[in-house]
Structures are given as C-alpha cells and as structure tokens.
Amino acid sequence: MKKFPSLKNHMLIAMPALQDFNFKHSVTLICEHNEDGAMGIVINHPLDFATYELLEHMDIPCAEHRNINPVFAGGPVQVDRGFVIHRAEQLWKSSIALENNVAVTTSLDVLHAIGRHEIGSDAFVALGYAGWEAGQLEQEIIDNVWLTVPINSEIIFSTDIDKRWEKAVSLLGFDAQNLSNFSGHA
C-alpha cells in the first residue's frame, strides 16, 4: 500500500456518497495519524443537549448557563469518553496541542474550567471519537470517501455548525454543490 504522510492537523471532509449517519456531511478533526492508525473527532454533528447540561449531569459546578454550546457526537467509538476541543491559549493536564491554535483535552480540569467560565465560547465537548486501523483511512481516501484540508480554527470555532461542511469544502476552491460521488484515477 502507498505510504501516506500523516494527516494529523488536518480535517477530513466526508464526500456526499458517505451515508453512514455517524459521518454524513461530517468534518472530522484528525488528532493523531501514524502507522498504527488514526483518531479524529467529528466537529459538526451536535447532540440535543448543551454543555451546561452535561456538566450538571457530571456534578460539575456551572456558575451560570452561559455556555449553551451543544455537545457533539465525536464519533462512534467510546461514546462515553469526552473530548474538549478548545483554543490552545491554555493547555490542561492532558491536552494535545494541534496547529493553528487548536487543542484537544480529555482531563476533568478543563470541564471544571468551563463550568467556572474560565474558557470562552471557543470550547466545546464531543462524546466519542472516530478511529481507523492501520491503513484503513488511507484506503478510504483512495476510495474517494474523504477529502482533506489543513486544520482551520475559523471553521472549528467561528463558523456556524450547519455551515462547517460547506465552508471546509470551500477551502479546496470550489462550491460543495459541485462535489461528485465519482472520482477518476489516472
């Protein structure tokens, strides 16, 4: 199989033909990608409850309900595991700093900081993640399941959730309506 460069610090854009409800029109932030596989978090599939509701459920004090960001379905693997995607201006106990001022944290201290409003609206929680075995993501890219673009903090933090897929596609220089379900291979 062809060796691919690491896609860590990239976003995957689901092609229109991908109909799996976990990934349909998804944008996935790739947090790790190496010879053992890949791990990413879907950043545009909101669940029907807000961050403050999750904090209350976890008995984490929340001063006010100012953080009404939705909790996201981060992927189908370990859906009971939470990830906080936030700006990397401050890192926490288990933060992974990505490019373009983006970080992912899994420790409880960041959730307490959200409850105390020490982190602004540029932070959201995702439950679960997407995982690929060694070579699986590379094959899916060859099979025209995904497009890739470098990580973009504007899409992650400043673009309306329902516009993130279209905005990510536009980074490639064309309109999402022009995407085809077919690809050519030379």
Side-chain angles (χ1 to χ4, degrees):
M1 175 174 284
K2 178 181 173 183
K3 175 122 170 89
F4 276 71
S6 175
L7 293 172
K8 181 178 180 176
N9 294 308
H10 283 75
M11 298 184 305
L12 297 179
I13 304 166
M15 289 293 287
L18 183 55
Q19 295 298 307
D20 179 322
F21 74 92
N22 293 300
F23 300 107
K24 185 174 181 173
H25 284 134
S26 67
V27 178
T28 304
L29 174 64
I30 298 298
C31 304
E32 189 60 63
H33 183 217
N34 57 39
E35 63 277 354
D36 297 323
M39 180 266 184
I41 301 168
V42 176
I43 62 165
N44 66 327
H45 286 180
L47 297 170
D48 62 353
F49 57 97
T51 301
Y52 76 86
E53 292 173 293
L54 177 66
L55 297 178
E56 287 176 350
H57 177 75
M58 296 177 68
D59 293 324
I60 294 175
C62 189
E64 298 172 26
H65 295 164
R66 288 186 354 211
N67 188 333
I68 57 171
N69 286 342
V71 174
F72 289 79
V77 181
Q78 290 187 340
V79 295
D80 59 339
R81 185 169 180 200
F83 301 86
V84 177
I85 295 88
H86 58 91
R87 295 222 184 248
E89 288 141 2
Q90 182 173 2
L91 299 179
W92 306 90
K93 286 182 185 175
S94 62
S95 295
I96 298 170
L98 300 172
E99 292 179 356
N100 292 327
N101 197 27
V102 176
V104 177
T105 301
T106 58
S107 52
L108 282 174
D109 56 347
V110 72
L111 293 175
H112 285 276
I114 290 171
R116 291 187 304 266
H117 304 295
E118 293 172 7
I119 297 177
S121 61
D122 286 349
F124 56 89
V125 178
L127 298 178
Y129 66 92
W132 293 266
E133 295 178 352
Q136 182 182 0
L137 179 57
E138 293 86 343
Q139 187 60 51
E140 289 180 8
I141 290 170
I142 291 169
D143 293 341
N144 201 40
V145 175
W146 304 103
L147 297 171
T148 63
V149 294
I151 194 171
N152 183 292
S153 60
E154 179 184 332
I155 290 174
I156 296 169
F157 300 116
S158 302
T159 302
D160 289 341
I161 297 164
D162 62 343
K163 301 291 184 208
R164 289 178 183 172
W165 184 80
E166 291 87 358
K167 180 83 170 183
V169 170
S170 75
L171 293 175
L172 296 167
F174 53 87
D175 190 295
Q177 293 178 358
N178 295 330
L179 278 180
S180 168
N181 289 334
F182 305 100
S183 68
H185 296 281

